[in-house]
Amino acid sequence: MSDAVLELKSVTKSYNQGLPNQIDVLRGVDLALQSGEMVALVAPSGAGKSTLLHIAGLLDAPDGGSVHVAGQNVSGKGDGTRTSLRRQDVGFVYQFHHLLPEFTALENIILPQLANGSSQADAAARAAELLSLVGLSDRAGHRPAALSGGEQQRVAFCRALANAPRVLLADEPTGNLDPGTSDQVFAALMDLVAGTGLSALVATHNPDLAARMDRRVKLENGVLVDL
Ligand code: ADP
């Protein structure tokens, strides 16, 4: 038995199934993310990276194969179970921060915790702790528009980790930043992950960042190959 936190087994996904323009994006993807492991996902544009991340994050279901979270086969479960597993166990970060503009940095990190049943006091304490880990304690009261791109992304990481998920899925989280800022934001992510046992699958075009992760996989012709 595997002790992988997130496992994809023979996952397939096609678009326009049965039509002349059918695209077989994933043709049998196998991936096992171990606890505490950071894996870089490298893929040329259009290779199916977003499709893979959506399936791994339980936002979309595969056509074939199965997805397992903490040993539990999610594929056969109903929408309710998938949604609650996603809320508890998976954190997302995208290329753009998607923070709520009318709320402060601190409030953006508090809100998902309230939705998950935390008390206001606990949620505020955790949000403050996360902001301190990424060096943004003095920006807690700022709204996203008053933060730099790198600061916004660091807050987005904190929000993704607010409910202490097992897995972080990131879709080019530094793709929108200049190289210096990108480095800083990645370092903040490493600080957040250090010692927590969190696993991360991070799609990136940046070879320097990919090199700093535990291992690298490439999505090629619908399957994952080790780099
Ligand atoms: P990436 O994130 O690597 O750029 P995507 O997963 O977004 O790739 O897309 C992979 C392929 O599947 C692309 O050719 C894209 O045009 C196609 N595709 C993605 N979503 C859909 C959809 N909803 N319907 C039809 N084709 C899609």
Side-chain angles (χ1 to χ4, degrees):
M1 194 170 134
S2 160
D3 59 356
V5 175
L6 172 74
E7 201 165 8
L8 307 189
K9 294 184 183 176
S10 308
V11 163
T12 60
K13 183 76 180 179
S14 303
Y15 293 112
N16 306 327
Q17 214 155 20
L19 298 174
N21 57 346
Q22 175 171 330
I23 312 171
D24 300 323
V25 181
L26 306 180
R27 296 163 183 260
V29 165
D30 292 305
L31 173 71
L33 265 189
Q34 306 300 328
S35 180
E37 186 178 46
M38 275 189 103
V39 177
L41 172 63
V42 179
S45 187
K49 171 181 51 66
S50 301
T51 302
L52 173 58
L53 287 170
H54 279 114
I55 290 174
L58 315 182
L59 289 165
D60 199 1
D63 295 331
S66 55
V67 180
H68 305 249
V69 175
Q72 195 179 5
N73 186 346
V74 179
S75 310
K77 308 281 180 201
D79 280 354
T81 307
R82 289 217 325 245
T83 302
S84 70
L85 270 175
R86 182 168 66 237
R87 215 175 263 154
Q88 284 162 22
D89 288 337
V90 185
F92 282 97
V93 184
Y94 301 93
Q95 185 168 358
F96 298 97
H97 59 81
H98 296 304
L99 296 170
L100 296 171
E102 66 275 38
F103 292 99
T104 65
L106 191 80
E107 288 164 345
N108 267 281
I109 308 168
I110 289 175
L111 287 170
Q113 299 180 73
L114 298 183
N116 203 35
S118 295
S119 72
Q120 172 75 32
D122 287 350
R126 170 138 179 97
E129 184 195 333
L130 286 165
L131 279 176
S132 141
L133 280 172
V134 298
L136 288 180
S137 296
D138 58 347
R139 301 288 193 279
H142 289 219
R143 290 186 181 175
L147 298 171
S148 72
E151 290 169 345
Q152 289 167 346
Q153 245 358 28
R154 281 189 270 165
V155 176
F157 281 134
C158 294
R159 180 187 51 181
L161 300 188
N163 287 325
R166 294 167 190 265
V167 180
L168 178 73
L169 299 173
D171 196 351
E172 296 186 38
T174 63
N176 192 31
L177 305 172
D178 63 71
T181 309
S182 173
D183 250 28
Q184 235 179 34
V185 167
F186 188 76
L189 175 61
M190 300 288 250
D191 289 344
L192 283 173
V193 171
T196 63
L198 179 83
S199 309
L201 181 63
V202 183
T204 181
H205 284 308
N206 183 328
D208 293 337
L209 296 191
R212 285 154 65 183
M213 295 187 223
D214 297 313
R215 64 187 172 95
R216 290 141 287 285
V217 293
K218 183 174 187 187
L219 185 58
E220 206 169 53
N221 301 321
V223 297
L224 282 182
V225 292
D226 292 332
L227 283 181

